[in-house]
Amino acid sequence: MPEHPTASWQAMQGGIVFYRRQQLFTLEGKMPNFGEYVAAGCRYGGPIAMMRDSTKIIALNRAAPSFTKSQIQVFSSAGEGLLLFSWDQAKIIHFGWTYDERLVVLNEEGVYRVYDLQGDYQQHSLGSEASELGVIDARIHENGMVAMTGSLTLLEVKDWDGGRPMVLANPKLSEPPNSWAVIPPDLNISRHVEVLLSVDNTVFTVDNLESLDQRLSQGPFTHICPSPNGKSLALLTYSGTLLVVSSDFQRRMAEFDTSTVTIEGQIQQVEWCGNDAIAVTWESLVVLVGPFADTLQYFYNGNVFAVTEPDGVRIVSADVCDLIQKVPAPNLSIFRPGSTSPAAILYDAWESFSQRSPKAHESIRNIRPELASAVDGCIEAAGQEWEPYWQRRLLNAAKFGRGFLDFYNPTDFINMGQTLKVLNAVRFYEIGIPLTYSQYTYTSPTHLISRLTSRNMHLLALRISTYLSIKPDAVLKHWASAKILRSRPTATGTGADVDVGGDDEVCKLIVDKFKELGGADVSYAEIAKRAWEAGRVGLATKLLDHERRASDQVPLLLSMKEDRLALEKAVSSGDTDLVYQVLLHLHQHLTLGNFFRLIEDGGEKLAPASRLLQVYAREQNRDMLRDFYYSDDRRVESAVLALDEASRMSDSASRITAVKSAQKFFSEDKDRMFEAKMMDESVRLLTLQQQLEAEVSGDVAFFGLSVNETIRTCILNGMVKKADKIKSDYKVSDKRFWYIKLYALTEIRDFEGLDAFAKSKRSPIGYEPFVNHLVEKGHTKEAVSYVARCDSPKRADLYAKCDEWRMAGAECKERGDKRKLE
């Protein structure tokens, strides 16, 4: 039976507050001596990175390998090695952890790498200024970094995607600060990073807008440490005085003289234990300083390393990994000796019931009104306990109390049971993530699953996902990527006949696993991209065949230079925008010949793409359409395009050239000889119209008119002979010519000319059109003279049209038409 929870409790503030030291793991010399290493710990029970401290003297007589390069080792909290890599760049200035457990390593040239736990990294730079001036120090927080250059300017990096660093306000330093720290943006009201610099006796606070002197007099400070919630600061002076002030420096909360601690050596770390107490470490001692300067001492074997957690402090030594934290309120109310809280009474009642004591019923009766809150208290306390034995007992007590309640929602009880199963699984030493219940609820289950996948613990991550009813997509995606990277393609054959095998097996394995484990929504495109990045083009193409969303398939296929396949997928998707996206991309990246050949060779499969290209080119890029028709040997379409362009042209020479071009295209197709002839006549007409305009010095516009309109314009402008010549040259029929001349002479009121024209020869259209047109235009008097030349049956009606009723009557009398006369 494990020891009672209160066995590790120690009282503070006169017995009001208790702190406990929970042993998480036994390390037994698994980790190097912290005294010889620089270390950085990741929060939320995360790993610890260590690098040999080059400023420390190493004993040469020891049977240890000599280090020629900087090496960084990463251990879990249980002392298990997670990663070891060599650093071959310039000198490392600082390293630290991101929120998602990636290690950021910064060198003196301003180059930083972001490593995952598999040793893969992304490299970024702080820019040319940092490269030229050098970087002398940095502070890394979970979502960014602040670096100090050789000119003592501060550069802020937001996130880890390689964005351009921002220069913070200039603190006007003449030398590097004694110590400094960073309050992350998410802990500031302003939502901007705040840098705290110990300069002389005071502290400067610097953000992106200004640098403020806080006008302190107790400095300089060797350590500045913000609390996890960013509301308080721990400041340690050179004389050994520990000050606790609010982060706006308006309130002083505590003061403690560390020289009262009887131990030799210098203070190594000042870290917060949650937001309430401060852990000050020496070589083998951790002193916990409370809000009222009362202390607790914890002794260790050898050097220790402390990592601040939101609800405590993790202490790693040569032998053990401990968590020191304030005893949570639910556990304090249940296990504190003499406690009379409802939860404590319920727990006692359950113990009595387990021992078949009648006292249990009386205890339940006493807390009946508070029984629901007592059940909740036991559930909450179970979550805060580390040992499964005590977790089980507290949950049994809650279950016992539930039986006396008529209406109680069991959701919290069930959820806590599930959560504790998950937490106990990841706390196992082989996993080595000592996550507390508070940290788990703060970071979320999905964050824990991503931490497990980053360690390649896919089976456990998948089981937890299934157990908590979380979609397994993220786990499966990471597993597939890892599978691709670990599997190696097998090559058979030599030279041009080489055949890379293994792709089919890996693809089938991934697809079958997704189907089996319900990863139907996983994007195959993302996994295919990883395969392509790993040089497995064949595997990437095979995986993309299983991607259902064409919008995800196509961009990757274009990146892979699989142009035809990308266009086929876009066309088969039926998404016009996607087809246009591919066409424009290919037009930009391929030579014109290859681009058109790709579309032409596609046949029926790519016919929709060909049509869409023509629609786009007709509206946006005529040159492309002309080239496309030419390359595809489409003579008729080329001719029609040339005519269309000619119709839009205002310059006469250009239009004639365009029509000649259309004539040439039509003449090359034996089925289009008529069109070719028409184009030839059109060129002749346009040339004639040019000459006519030249004759009238450009005063009359002829260019672009039809044959009829050209004749009419000639007549209107007194160029009768020209009109007659055009009639004969273009074989205009007599009927059409007479109509044109009738209308033109009427329009210019040349009635003498009209009369002469009518008498010049027998009219091929008769004389009735003369009468009708003149009447229509309001020239009734002039129309009368033409009625006599019309057929006799129609004359009476035509006279009536001209308002000549007397002549109409005389015509009727002459013909003996009594009915019409009446």
Side-chain angles (χ1 to χ4, degrees):
M1 172 181 159
E3 60 182 18
H4 196 269
T6 56
S8 64
W9 291 13
Q10 287 182 272
M12 261 187 164
Q13 299 175 31
I16 300 172
V17 176
F18 287 83
Y19 280 80
R20 65 183 182 187
R21 173 165 65 167
Q22 178 69 51
Q23 184 175 316
L24 307 178
F25 303 107
T26 304
L27 301 181
E28 297 171 352
K30 289 181 181 178
M31 299 181 76
N33 178 10
F34 283 102
E36 298 174 357
Y37 282 78
V38 181
C42 184
R43 282 186 180 182
Y44 314 112
I48 295 163
M50 302 179 71
M51 183 184 74
R52 176 76 73 180
D53 188 348
S54 57
T55 62
K56 300 284 175 71
I57 298 170
I58 302 169
L60 290 176
N61 59 352
R62 205 185 313 169
S66 59
F67 291 87
T68 53
K69 293 180 180 177
S70 297
Q71 281 192 330
I72 294 182
Q73 304 172 65
V74 178
F75 298 92
S76 73
S77 294
E80 303 294 323
L82 298 178
L83 180 65
L84 169 67
F85 63 89
S86 296
W87 181 263
D88 52 0
Q89 302 285 311
K91 179 187 172 188
I92 293 175
I93 292 298
H94 197 71
F95 56 93
W97 293 93
T98 69
Y99 176 70
D100 53 357
E101 282 194 336
R102 290 185 294 164
L103 182 66
V104 181
V105 185
L106 172 70
N107 72 9
E108 62 186 353
E109 293 175 351
V111 174
Y112 64 97
R113 288 179 178 176
V114 185
Y115 285 87
D116 63 18
L117 290 177
Q118 304 308 310
D120 298 324
Y121 64 84
Q122 294 171 320
Q123 183 166 303
H124 308 293
S125 171
L126 292 176
S128 56
E129 183 188 350
S131 177
E132 290 167 13
L133 299 171
V135 175
I136 59 171
D137 205 355
R139 294 291 179 269
I140 294 168
H141 59 90
E142 290 175 351
N143 296 306
M145 163 173 66
V146 176
M148 185 180 289
T149 67
S151 62
L152 303 181
T153 55
L154 298 169
L155 302 176
E156 182 200 0
V157 173
K158 293 180 180 177
D159 301 318
W160 302 110
D161 51 9
R164 188 177 177 182
M166 183 174 74
V167 181
L168 300 182
N170 187 2
K172 296 177 182 174
L173 301 177
S174 57
E175 58 182 1
N178 300 296
S179 61
W180 62 295
V182 165
I183 300 178
D186 53 332
L187 302 181
N188 273 322
I189 298 172
S190 66
R191 293 298 173 202
H192 294 296
V193 74
E194 192 171 285
V195 182
L196 308 166
L197 304 165
S198 170
V199 181
D200 298 330
N201 291 334
T202 185
V203 170
F204 282 85
T205 57
V206 181
D207 60 15
N208 59 334
L209 297 175
E210 60 182 351
S211 170
L212 281 178
D213 183 355
Q214 297 299 335
R215 303 192 181 282
L216 303 184
S217 56
Q218 294 92 340
F221 302 103
T222 60
H223 291 77
I224 301 177
C225 185
S227 62
N229 62 12
K231 293 180 180 177
S232 308
L233 297 173
L235 308 170
L236 183 68
T237 67
Y238 272 91
S239 60
T241 304
L242 180 68
L243 302 173
V244 182
V245 298
S246 61
S247 55
D248 59 2
F249 294 91
Q250 298 301 309
R251 290 181 298 124
R252 180 185 291 191
M253 298 180 225
E255 185 173 328
F256 174 71
D257 185 2
T258 58
S259 61
T260 58
V261 179
T262 54
I263 188 170
E264 293 181 1
Q266 293 182 332
I267 292 174
Q268 294 179 346
Q269 281 178 279
V270 176
E271 299 287 338
W272 281 83
C273 176
N275 293 299
D276 304 303
I278 295 162
V280 184
T281 71
W282 282 263
E283 186 175 331
S284 57
L285 173 67
V286 177
V287 174
L288 204 63
V289 182
F292 298 99
D294 38 1
T295 61
L296 296 174
Q297 295 190 357
Y298 300 98
F299 289 93
Y300 287 89
N301 179 20
N303 285 285
V304 296
F305 179 69
V307 182
T308 297
E309 298 285 4
D311 56 348
V313 62
R314 196 160 23 117
I315 307 292
V316 187
S317 72
D319 299 331
V320 292
C321 176
D322 289 347
L323 177 68
I324 300 173
Q325 65 176 160
K326 184 180 177 181
V327 176
N331 303 63
L332 190 62
S333 73
I334 293 173
F335 293 122
R336 184 177 181 176
S339 173
T340 56
S341 70
I345 293 170
L346 173 60
Y347 182 75
D348 287 340
W350 173 76
E351 282 195 322
S352 300
F353 174 75
S354 302
Q355 294 159 10
R356 302 181 182 276
S357 167
K359 182 186 168 189
H361 191 269
E362 185 184 342
S363 299
I364 291 291
R365 195 168 60 243
N366 289 338
I367 58 164
R368 195 62 191 255
E370 294 94 17
L371 188 55
S373 64
V375 171
D376 290 340
C378 286
I379 293 171
E380 189 69 26
Q384 302 291 354
E385 280 299 328
W386 200 265
E387 289 293 339
Y389 175 84
W390 294 105
Q391 294 167 0
R392 204 172 293 112
R393 288 177 72 85
L394 287 161
L395 287 177
N396 280 334
K399 185 179 171 185
F400 173 68
R402 254 179 57 204
F404 293 94
L405 294 169
D406 296 328
F407 302 103
Y408 184 82
N409 187 345
T411 306
D412 289 345
F413 180 84
I414 294 165
N415 288 346
M416 183 59 78
Q418 288 183 325
T419 300
L420 288 173
K421 272 193 170 183
V422 171
L423 289 176
N424 291 335
V426 299
R427 288 168 180 171
F428 187 60
Y429 77 95
E430 288 184 350
I431 311 299
I433 304 178
L435 201 62
T436 65
Y437 176 71
S438 303
Q439 293 166 17
Y440 173 78
T441 52
Y442 175 75
T443 56
S444 82
T446 51
H447 183 252
L448 174 59
I449 289 165
S450 72
R451 291 174 69 180
L452 291 170
T453 55
S454 70
R455 289 163 159 79
N456 275 350
M457 295 177 178
H458 299 107
L459 182 59
L460 178 60
L462 189 64
R463 284 176 175 167
I464 290 174
S465 299
T466 309
Y467 185 62
L468 298 177
S469 303
I470 296 171
K471 277 190 169 184
D473 298 5
V475 181
L476 292 172
K477 198 189 320 180
H478 193 282
W479 167 80
S481 300
K483 189 74 183 170
I484 290 165
L485 292 173
R486 288 188 171 191
S487 65
R488 290 283 176 267
T490 54
T492 55
T494 55
D497 303 321
V498 70
D499 178 37
V500 178
D503 289 349
D504 289 325
E505 291 85 346
V506 175
C507 180
K508 186 176 184 302
L509 183 68
I510 291 171
V511 173
D512 291 349
K513 189 68 74 176
F514 282 10
K515 286 177 181 173
E516 176 193 341
L517 298 171
D521 297 331
V522 179
S523 171
Y524 283 97
E526 292 181 42
I527 300 159
K529 188 177 182 184
R530 291 305 300 271
W532 177 62
E533 288 169 352
R536 307 281 295 275
V537 179
L539 177 57
T541 309
K542 286 179 171 63
L543 286 167
L544 272 178
D545 287 338
H546 297 277
E547 176 56 62
R548 290 179 296 180
R549 292 180 289 270
S551 57
D552 290 342
Q553 280 181 316
V554 168
L556 182 58
L557 285 169
L558 290 175
S559 302
M560 293 163 58
K561 302 287 190 290
E562 295 284 347
D563 300 332
R564 179 188 295 279
L565 195 53
L567 193 54
E568 286 176 2
K569 295 285 184 187
V571 169
S572 62
S573 74
D575 185 342
T576 308
D577 291 340
L578 193 60
V579 178
Y580 275 134
Q581 181 188 340
V582 178
L583 287 172
L584 293 174
H585 175 89
L586 296 179
H587 180 247
Q588 195 174 355
H589 289 87
L590 295 178
T591 63
L592 214 53
N594 289 341
F595 174 56
F596 292 143
R597 198 174 301 114
L598 176 69
I599 296 169
E600 291 157 16
D601 294 348
E604 280 302 309
K605 262 189 179 180
L606 298 183
S610 174
R611 289 192 288 272
L612 285 172
L613 178 67
Q614 291 172 61
V615 171
Y616 165 79
R618 184 168 283 110
E619 295 295 325
Q620 305 287 340
N621 192 338
R622 290 286 176 126
D623 291 338
M624 185 205 287
L625 187 60
R626 193 184 302 111
D627 293 337
F628 177 63
Y629 284 156
Y630 184 78
S631 72
D632 202 20
D633 206 23
R634 299 191 188 184
R635 304 300 181 188
V636 177
E637 285 90 342
S638 296
V640 173
L641 180 64
L643 280 178
D644 186 38
E645 288 177 344
S647 68
R648 298 163 190 256
M649 292 174 179
S650 55
D651 179 55
S652 54
S654 300
R655 187 184 288 195
I656 290 171
T657 305
V659 176
K660 281 181 178 176
S661 175
Q663 188 270 336
K664 180 177 176 289
F665 283 125
F666 278 132
S667 67
E668 289 170 357
D669 188 335
K670 63 177 186 291
D671 296 328
R672 299 290 174 181
M673 286 302 136
F674 173 75
E675 286 87 346
K677 188 180 178 186
M678 289 301 100
M679 290 304 100
D680 193 40
E681 290 195 1
S682 182
V683 170
R684 282 171 51 218
L685 178 62
L686 290 171
T687 309
L688 172 65
Q689 288 168 342
Q690 260 186 323
Q691 293 167 358
L692 290 172
E693 284 189 356
E695 285 179 25
V696 295
S697 305
D699 295 337
V700 181
F702 283 97
F703 198 79
L705 300 178
S706 65
V707 172
N708 291 5
E709 284 293 313
T710 307
I711 294 170
R712 176 181 164 277
T713 308
C714 284
I715 295 167
L716 289 176
N717 292 279
M719 304 166 73
V720 180
K721 286 186 178 179
K722 289 285 183 187
D724 291 340
K725 188 172 187 310
I726 294 169
K727 172 190 177 296
S728 63
D729 286 352
Y730 288 91
K731 298 184 175 70
V732 177
S733 67
D734 285 345
K735 283 187 177 183
R736 193 197 306 177
F737 183 74
W738 274 67
Y739 272 115
I740 294 167
K741 197 160 184 178
L742 164 64
Y743 295 161
L745 292 171
T746 305
E747 187 178 334
I748 59 174
R749 295 169 175 263
D750 184 2
F751 299 119
E752 289 179 12
L754 184 61
D755 188 50
F757 174 57
K759 292 174 180 176
S760 63
K761 59 188 277 192
R762 180 173 177 78
S763 169
I765 60 172
Y767 295 96
E768 193 179 331
F770 282 70
V771 178
N772 288 333
H773 184 67
L774 286 165
V775 170
E776 186 186 322
K777 295 297 179 182
H779 308 302
T780 51
K781 286 182 183 178
E782 287 77 8
V784 175
S785 62
Y786 294 98
V787 176
R789 302 181 198 181
C790 297
D791 295 340
S792 57
K794 297 179 181 176
R795 286 175 193 163
D797 290 331
L798 291 171
Y799 278 128
K801 244 185 189 181
C802 299
D803 291 336
E804 291 291 340
W805 299 102
R806 185 185 298 278
M807 295 174 80
E811 185 66 34
C812 291
K813 184 180 177 184
E814 187 181 323
R815 293 187 64 239
D817 191 346
K818 288 183 180 181
R819 284 183 62 191
K820 186 158 282 198
L821 182 61
E822 287 170 4

